């Protein structure tokens, strides 16, 4: 017994026409599916950029995978709020938005602070302790004596001597309390973890003042990366002054390339290939003035009240999880000098690059294969 399908029962010409129509339908379907897949890929790889200004510095954001510029605009709002909380020189605006200014004007009284500011102060105080005071968040009274902007000025030695006793991170007190937080995992789930927050702070002696400028730009990068993570972008690079935040994986899956500025001229002295984290650079070339034939830069040693004399011209530091710490470590290491700075980075599990006055570049072991020297006049030691 034989079986004849409906198609076989059709005349040959009809069968050919039907098969041709079926091929056209399949081709159209594949084209639509292919376009949809390409559109999906293009949306995932879409690049958005935005330039702005905060903390007296140029801000550059580039993100991949965002559906609009909304995440970039959210970062701008977040950084403006952070700047308000960390501002210490000008006490303007609502008191609830000015954590550091409120603390400095409290004259020894306890003040409530935001969770973000509290965490930053705790991180700064720990860095001060581990650096032996080469970094000190209470350097405000001495910082106020110096100006490196439009009208640079050299303070009187008597003024520095009078304010130096007010620089003492051990006299900064932070209230602390534990809380349960949900830490996100890569698979979208959450893990409960015990965290610590710092809801209030005080300065023991009237006249003391906190200045978090040496951590502010790195903290801004950290805040931006947090916004990117919550917004679900695939990858991002944010630059705030001398600090850079690197998040996610770029569409081409290649490492991020970060240029290290030439401390003796314009342009770059080398390039770092990094997979993520935070990078900050502190250099004597950033802000300085000359008086009576001597050069004074803005990286002050809290222990002396004068610009640090460590034999270095630039320090670049990488931290995996904290932009604020990368920024603070770069300053602390510049003040400490090469040997003690290397030891401090090792204690934090951070990586770094030191450039001395002779143009010798010293790298921590973890960066030996990640840095490429491109500038002239430098040698790797």
């Amino acid at each position: 017994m034989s079986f004849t399908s409906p198609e076989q029962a059709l005349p040959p010409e009809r069968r050919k026409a039907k098969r041709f129509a079926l091929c056209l339908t399949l081709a159209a379907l594949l084209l639509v599916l292919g376009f949809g897949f390409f559109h999906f890929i293009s949306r995932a790889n879409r690049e958005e950029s935005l330039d702005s200004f905060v903390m007296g510095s140029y801000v550059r954001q580039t993100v991949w995978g965002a559906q609009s510029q909304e995440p970039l605009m959210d970062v701008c709002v977040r950084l403006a709020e952070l700047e308000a909380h960390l501002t210490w020189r000008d006490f303007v605006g609502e008191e609830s938005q000015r954590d550091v200014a409120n603390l400095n004007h409290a004259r020894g009284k306890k003040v409530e602070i935001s969770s973000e500011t509290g965490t930053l102060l705790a991180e700064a105080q720990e860095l001060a302790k581990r650096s032996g005071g080469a970094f000190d968040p209470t350097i405000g009274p001495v910082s106020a004596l110096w100006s490196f902007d439009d009208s640079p000025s050299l303070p009187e030695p008597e003024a520095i001597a009078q304010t130096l006793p007010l620089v003492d991170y051990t006299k900064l007190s932070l209230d602390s309390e534990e809380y349960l937080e949900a830490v996100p995992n890569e698979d979208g789930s959450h893990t409960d973890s015990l965290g610590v927050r710092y809801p209030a702070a005080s300065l023991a002696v009237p006249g003391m003042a906190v200045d978090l400028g040496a951590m502010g730009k790195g903290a801004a990068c950290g805040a931006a990366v947090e916004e990117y993570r919550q917004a679900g972008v695939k990858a991002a690079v944010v630059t705030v002054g001398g600090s850079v935040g690197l998040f996610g994986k770029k569409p081409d899956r290649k490492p991020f390339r970060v240029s290290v500025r030439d401390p003796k001229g314009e342009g770059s002295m080398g390039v770092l290939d990094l997979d993520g984290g935070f990078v900050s650079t502190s250099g004597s070339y950033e802000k300085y003035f000359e008086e009576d034939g001597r050069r004074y830069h803005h990286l002050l040693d809290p222990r002396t009240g004068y610009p640090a004399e460590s034999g270095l011209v630039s320090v670049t530091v990488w931290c995996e999880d904290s932009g604020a710490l990368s920024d603070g470590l770069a300053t602390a290491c510049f003040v400490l000098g090469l040997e003690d700075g290397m030891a401090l980075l090792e204690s934090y599990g951070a990586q770094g690059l030191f450039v001395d006055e002779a143009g010798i570049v010293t790298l921590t072991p973890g960066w030996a294969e990640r840095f490429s020297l491109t500038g002239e006049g430098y040698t790797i030691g």
Side-chain angles (χ1 to χ4, degrees), residues 150-208:
D150 297 333
S151 302
S153 61
L154 178 63
E156 294 293 333
E158 295 79 8
I160 293 178
Q162 289 174 1
T163 57
L164 207 54
L166 296 173
V167 181
D168 187 348
Y169 67 91
T170 66
K171 291 183 170 60
L172 167 65
S173 297
L174 298 172
D175 288 358
S176 63
E177 58 185 29
E178 294 182 340
Y179 70 101
L180 195 64
E181 63 176 339
V183 179
N185 300 316
E186 292 185 358
D187 61 2
S189 63
H190 290 78
T191 302
D192 289 337
S193 176
L194 196 62
V196 180
R197 56 186 165 214
Y198 307 89
S202 63
L203 295 166
V205 181
M208 290 185 67

Side-chain angles (χ1 to χ4, degrees), residues 237-320:
V237 177
V238 56
T239 302
V240 184
S243 293
V244 181
L246 310 169
F247 171 72
K249 296 291 184 182
K250 294 191 300 178
D252 60 10
R253 313 301 292 179
K254 294 181 180 179
F256 295 98
R257 305 209 80 193
V258 179
S259 295
V260 180
R261 179 172 167 177
D262 186 341
K264 297 182 180 180
E266 299 297 328
S268 169
M269 62 162 285
V271 177
L272 286 162
D273 290 325
L274 302 171
D275 297 320
F278 300 91
V279 183
S280 295
T281 298
S282 290
S284 57
Y285 56 84
E286 296 174 298
K287 293 181 180 180
Y288 65 90
F289 65 88
E290 295 184 359
E291 188 168 317
D292 296 330
R294 184 174 178 181
R295 181 167 168 163
Y296 298 89
H297 61 77
H298 75 297
L299 297 172
L300 304 177
D301 187 336
R303 301 166 300 186
T304 66
Y306 287 91
E309 298 180 355
S310 61
L312 299 174
V313 294
S314 176
V315 177
T316 299
V317 171
W318 173 88
C319 289
E320 183 175 9

Side-chain angles (χ1 to χ4, degrees), residues 42-273:
S42 66
R43 285 168 66 92
N45 294 348
R46 180 174 175 176
E47 180 179 314
E48 295 279 355
S49 297
L50 183 66
D51 297 336
S52 58
F53 196 79
V54 75
M55 297 183 180
S57 297
Y58 170 78
V59 179
R60 174 74 172 180
Q61 299 183 70
T62 302
V63 301
W64 291 269
Q67 305 308 314
S68 68
Q69 286 211 335
E70 185 176 352
L72 292 87
M73 297 302 298
D74 289 343
V75 166
C76 290
V77 173
R78 174 77 177 273
L79 298 193
E81 293 173 349
L82 178 63
E83 181 180 23
H85 278 305
L86 301 187
T87 295
W88 66 279
R89 289 184 180 275
D90 300 313
F91 184 65
V92 295
E94 297 182 16
E95 292 189 7
S96 61
Q97 299 175 345
R98 306 279 176 171
D99 286 343
V100 171
N102 291 343
L103 177 60
N104 291 347
H105 286 76
R107 300 188 62 80
K109 296 180 181 179
K110 183 184 297 186
V111 298
E112 294 183 357
I113 55 177
S114 67
S115 176
E116 192 169 24
T117 302
T119 299
L120 191 56
L121 285 172
E123 201 166 31
Q125 195 170 42
E126 175 65 17
L127 176 56
K129 178 181 178 181
R130 293 169 71 164
S131 68
F135 177 93
D136 195 318
T138 65
I139 196 174
V142 171
S143 298
L145 298 176
W146 292 84
S147 176
F148 296 91
D149 297 318
D150 297 333
S151 302
S153 61
L154 178 63
E156 294 293 333
E158 295 79 8
I160 293 178
Q162 289 174 1
T163 57
L164 207 54
L166 296 173
V167 181
D168 187 348
Y169 67 91
T170 66
K171 291 183 170 60
L172 167 65
S173 297
L174 298 172
D175 288 358
S176 63
E177 58 185 29
E178 294 182 340
Y179 70 101
L180 195 64
E181 63 176 339
V183 179
N185 300 316
E186 292 185 358
D187 61 2
S189 63
H190 290 78
T191 302
D192 289 337
S193 176
L194 196 62
V196 180
R197 56 186 165 214
Y198 307 89
S202 63
L203 295 166
V205 181
M208 290 185 67
V210 165
D211 174 6
L212 291 174
M215 296 181 96
K217 296 175 181 61
C221 289
V225 166
E226 185 178 332
E227 289 290 328
Y228 301 144
R229 183 178 289 109
Q230 293 177 358
V233 302
K234 302 300 182 182
V237 177
V238 56
T239 302
V240 184
S243 293
V244 181
L246 310 169
F247 171 72
K249 296 291 184 182
K250 294 191 300 178
D252 60 10
R253 313 301 292 179
K254 294 181 180 179
F256 295 98
R257 305 209 80 193
V258 179
S259 295
V260 180
R261 179 172 167 177
D262 186 341
K264 297 182 180 180
E266 299 297 328
S268 169
M269 62 162 285
V271 177
L272 286 162
D273 290 325

Side-chain angles (χ1 to χ4, degrees), residues 22-34:
L22 179 60
C23 288
L24 285 178
T25 302
L26 289 174
L29 180 61
L30 289 172
L31 181 63
V32 171
L33 290 175

